[in-house]
Amino acid sequence: MSNTISVNGVDYIRADSVPAAKPNGSRAVVVVDRGWIFAGDVTRENGRIKLSRAVHVFRWESIGFAKMVETEQADLRPIADVDMPAGAEIFCVPVPDNWGIG
């Protein structure tokens, strides 16, 4: 059985057979103390966490955190690069390189 169909000479495949984008770089959603959530390209040095190409995850509704990370269904707001002490991080979730900006 083939997972493709040809229409007018163009081959198509089932959407559920395409692997989801996997994290492949340094981009992550970072949850920090006081409830702040950011996403960006993460650099860790000298006890600091720096996020470039940053976005602020302002809010999301009707879905849990994991689904928000998976689907980007959130109010994402561009923000200047973020620089915070490493101790402020609660956890981070790696995401694809274009998460929140694509």
Side-chain angles (χ1 to χ4, degrees), residues 12-75:
Y12 297 91
I13 61 173
R14 287 176 46 145
D16 62 355
S17 69
V18 176
K22 299 274 190 230
N24 59 0
S26 64
R27 195 155 184 87
V29 173
V30 181
V31 178
V32 298
D33 60 10
R34 308 281 194 259
W36 291 90
I37 302 174
F38 301 102
D41 299 336
V42 179
T43 304
R44 299 170 191 277
E45 57 187 27
N46 301 321
R48 306 290 298 177
I49 299 171
K50 298 178 181 182
L51 303 177
S52 56
R53 296 190 313 145
V55 294
H56 174 212
V57 181
F58 190 72
R59 75 169 161 236
W60 70 92
E61 298 177 13
S62 304
I63 57 176
F65 179 83
K67 193 68 167 176
M68 181 276 298
V69 169
E70 177 187 330
T71 64
E72 298 178 56
Q73 291 180 3
D75 182 352

Side-chain angles (χ1 to χ4, degrees), residues 4-13:
T4 63
I5 186 170
S6 184
V7 178
N8 295 328
V10 178
D11 291 333
Y12 297 91
I13 61 173

